[in-house]
Amino acid sequence: MAKATTGTRRAASAGSIGALLLEAVRDHRQGRLDRAVRRYTDVLRRDPRNAEALHLLGVVHHQRGDHNRALTLIGRAIALNGDDPAFHSNLGAVLLALGRLDAAAASLRHAVTLDSTHSDALNNLGNVLMRQGQAEAAEASYRQALAARPENVAARNNLGSALREQGKLDEAAAAYRWSLSVQPRHAPALSNLGRILHDMGRYDEALECYDRAIAINPELAEAHGNRATLLLQLGRFAEGWEEYEWRWRNAGFTTPARAFEQPPWNGSDLCGRTILLHAEQGLGSAIQFVRYAAVVTGRGGRVVLECQKPLARLFASLRSQTNAAVAHLVIKGEPLPAFDVHAPLMSLPRLLGTRLETIPAAIPYLFAEEALAAEWGARLARCDGTRIGLAWAGNRRHHNDRNRSMPATALAPLAAMEGCATFSLQVGDAAADPNALPAGSVIDLAPDLRDFADTAAVISQLDLVISVDTAVAHLAGALGRPVWMLVPHVSEWRWLTEREDTPWYPTMRLFRQRSPGDWDEVVRRVRDRLATMFAPDRPR
């Protein structure tokens, strides 16, 4: 979180205004914000051009979450005194809170120009760089902040986050442990240390850290969110789904909570009422959890489903005559029809009491368009051998993409297998990567894949899909097609631990890294399995 400073280094001016400002700063530092606001306001009534009072009043509003008001006040302070690095540092913190990253970076760099040892400005600049996906640059900024003020616990904690983002888990753990040696009850550091231990597969120790963090600060949403994903990964669904509702309060959660006039659904029988189910998070999550639409319909509901545009044609199969799980489909951004209650897709397991043994796993629950599948069947029939679809990368903006995606070249041993025809199902930024594979070894289908309905039609005509943890794997599983998914050493929570199968998709098999980052060994195992199952002389 961006840290604001109260700028108490300046001696107060003589007279009653100076004394009142000192009292206001004292109240501010001790957390008596209401009293501090009254005193800063009193100073400004007497001296409207008091830059320090304007600045610090802006800081209070920032701390209270009124960032626009803070922006105005600190901007007025800078107009009166543009040479104070604290003013520019706190302006950068406010701009960061507003999501104006480029402007925030400019303000923070100006603060550092004015004072190269301004530790809080350097720390906040690191926060901006992290938000911009520049973990290495952020690490350098945090280290400068610590060189200027070694006791800056916030910078040390943030350094751990930058190191984790780069996969430097041991160094990250050391940074968090140092923070805890200085402040043993620093709940965010405990939560972050737990996340590192989680990444290392040290689940019991991670859970202990999360529990300690929550005991210190029961309202720490990040700790609850981390605890939720670990409980779910361990198969402790009863606790995990409850904790997972904290995602809406976690500042790091990218999907904002939806506000509707209608009440949220509480899981009771719907008795003919219309319920809006709305997709959240990524495309793969929407594919995984849309299975619950049929369950909700079974509770007596008329389901309106809102989804992302790339899924609309695919999800139309949920409202066909043979699969009437959805009564009405809406693309995100379009006007919504009337409804009585609502629920996000990923809250449905909690509302419906899902446990490992009760996951609704009847497949397929999504279907390719028949005419489109027939077209692809005719096209792919010209290719001899076992037909295999490949996908090696997910959304590069995903928080864990560094671990879950691989370079296309890692799949070269599969593309070169005798008796197999391999097809690239990769779309997006990584779609150009087939050029890195041996010429002619993979047929690139990306130019013809407009959305997931096209991809579904292709998958319906393949013998096997081999994919990293991305929406393509979810799609193959939802279609009931054979899919082998390649997952990191410590996988995402939905794939549990150690298992080679998954209760979410009966036709999916998991190939896990045996050591962090080692995709080559995973691909060798996949190749050996393929050679056994789809040998050229094996009758089909």
Side-chain angles (χ1 to χ4, degrees):
M1 175 180 291
K3 182 178 184 295
T5 55
T6 55
T8 57
R9 74 228 167 277
R10 183 184 290 105
S13 59
S16 61
I17 291 178
L20 184 59
L21 183 58
L22 278 177
E23 290 174 358
V25 168
R26 189 178 303 113
D27 288 332
H28 193 167
R29 293 182 65 188
Q30 293 175 359
R32 297 192 292 265
L33 299 187
D34 288 340
R35 188 182 299 180
V37 166
R38 288 195 297 272
R39 285 180 167 158
Y40 288 140
T41 302
D42 197 7
V43 170
L44 291 168
R45 271 197 299 267
R46 303 183 193 192
D47 180 10
R49 295 177 59 80
N50 190 302
E52 185 75 356
L54 284 165
H55 162 237
L56 293 174
L57 182 59
V59 170
V60 175
H61 283 290
H62 169 58
Q63 292 169 330
R64 286 178 158 177
D66 189 352
H67 306 304
N68 287 308
R69 179 64 176 151
L71 188 66
T72 298
L73 289 164
I74 298 175
R76 287 171 58 193
I78 289 173
L80 293 168
N81 177 10
D83 296 328
D84 193 314
F87 291 11
H88 292 279
S89 177
N90 285 328
L91 181 67
V94 172
L95 290 165
L96 172 58
L98 289 168
R100 296 169 56 181
L101 302 185
D102 290 341
S107 291
L108 293 163
R109 288 193 171 101
H110 188 63
V112 174
T113 299
L114 293 169
D115 178 2
S116 62
T117 64
H118 199 290
S119 187
D120 291 316
L122 288 162
N123 177 46
N124 282 336
L125 179 58
N127 293 339
V128 173
L129 293 166
M130 282 293 287
R131 288 274 294 274
Q132 293 176 326
Q134 302 180 55
E136 289 186 25
E139 177 190 346
S141 193
Y142 293 138
R143 291 194 185 281
Q144 286 180 269
L146 289 165
R149 196 169 83 234
E151 70 278 10
N152 189 334
V153 173
R156 186 78 62 173
N157 201 35
N158 290 333
L159 173 63
S161 298
L163 292 166
R164 175 181 179 254
E165 184 66 22
Q166 298 173 75
K168 303 175 182 178
L169 300 186
D170 289 332
E171 291 181 65
Y176 295 133
R177 292 188 192 282
W178 183 94
S179 296
L180 291 166
S181 72
V182 176
Q183 293 185 13
R185 292 180 58 80
H186 193 273
L190 274 167
S191 178
N192 288 333
L193 177 58
R195 186 63 237 176
I196 295 298
L197 294 168
H198 189 164
D199 290 343
M200 292 176 170
R202 295 160 62 176
Y203 302 127
D204 290 342
E205 295 172 76
L207 190 58
E208 181 184 358
C209 284
Y210 299 150
D211 289 343
R212 287 171 58 196
I214 291 168
I216 294 167
N217 182 2
E219 298 301 309
L220 186 60
E222 182 179 351
H224 283 283
N226 288 341
R227 185 172 186 270
T229 57
L230 178 52
L231 290 170
L232 292 171
Q233 187 169 10
L234 295 173
R236 293 167 57 176
F237 279 12
E239 303 165 83
W241 295 127
E242 290 295 332
E243 284 281 78
Y244 198 58
E245 290 302 297
W246 279 85
R247 67 193 184 277
W248 305 112
R249 297 173 59 180
N250 191 337
F253 187 63
T254 56
T255 305
R258 302 285 292 276
F260 298 108
E261 293 181 4
Q262 298 87 340
W265 184 43
N266 62 7
S268 62
D269 286 343
L270 287 157
C271 302
R273 289 179 296 168
T274 296
I275 180 170
L276 170 68
L277 303 181
H278 46 98
E280 56 170 294
Q281 301 184 45
L283 300 171
S285 292
I287 292 171
Q288 179 180 1
F289 288 93
V290 78
R291 71 184 67 211
Y292 282 94
V295 183
V296 174
T297 296
R299 290 288 186 96
R302 178 183 179 274
V303 171
V304 173
L305 175 64
E306 183 192 56
C307 70
Q308 302 95 324
K309 186 175 181 179
L311 295 173
R313 278 205 304 154
L314 172 68
F315 282 3
S317 68
L318 292 162
R319 55 183 174 87
S320 67
Q321 291 182 348
T322 57
N323 184 28
V326 171
H328 188 79
L329 189 67
V330 184
I331 296 173
K332 277 186 181 293
E334 292 181 349
L336 293 170
F339 59 92
D340 300 302
V341 292
H342 67 90
L345 282 180
M346 296 182 73
S347 289
L348 294 175
R350 178 184 68 87
L351 292 167
L352 296 166
T354 297
R355 302 295 179 262
L356 272 176
E357 62 276 9
T358 63
I359 289 173
I363 58 166
Y365 59 86
L366 293 175
F367 301 88
E369 294 179 15
E370 290 185 9
L372 199 55
E375 290 178 18
W376 276 104
R379 177 173 170 179
L380 299 185
R382 298 193 293 267
C383 301
D384 295 329
T386 301
R387 297 191 291 268
I388 300 175
L390 302 177
W392 51 86
N395 184 342
R396 287 178 172 169
R397 292 183 294 276
H398 187 277
H399 69 91
N400 195 40
D401 191 64
R402 173 180 52 81
N403 289 317
R404 69 171 186 165
S405 293
M406 64 169 66
T409 51
L411 294 178
L414 307 183
M417 287 191 69
E418 183 183 357
C420 293
T422 51
F423 304 88
S424 168
L425 303 176
Q426 189 68 52
V427 297
D429 295 338
D433 288 358
N435 296 328
L437 293 168
S441 63
V442 175
I443 300 171
D444 184 11
L445 302 181
D448 296 318
L449 302 180
R450 298 164 295 170
D451 61 13
F452 280 88
D454 289 325
T455 306
V458 173
I459 289 175
S460 73
Q461 304 302 308
L462 297 177
D463 297 302
L464 175 67
V465 171
I466 299 174
S467 173
V468 294
D469 182 1
T470 187
V472 167
H474 285 279
L475 176 57
L479 293 168
R481 301 299 300 158
V483 50
W484 294 356
M485 190 166 70
L486 320 181
V487 295
H489 181 61
V490 175
S491 65
E492 197 181 17
W493 60 266
R494 62 196 86 205
W495 311 123
L496 304 170
T497 62
E498 299 180 356
R499 294 175 62 148
E500 294 184 357
D501 67 337
T502 168
W504 293 102
Y505 299 113
T507 61
M508 179 180 285
R509 292 295 173 265
L510 306 177
F511 289 77
R512 298 178 183 271
Q513 288 178 347
R514 289 176 175 165
S515 59
D518 187 357
W519 288 120
D520 291 341
E521 190 277 335
V522 174
V523 172
R524 283 196 296 273
R525 271 189 285 135
V526 169
R527 192 178 191 284
D528 290 345
R529 183 79 66 88
L530 278 174
T532 300
M533 296 181 64
F534 299 114
D537 57 349
R538 184 184 179 91
R540 297 180 58 209

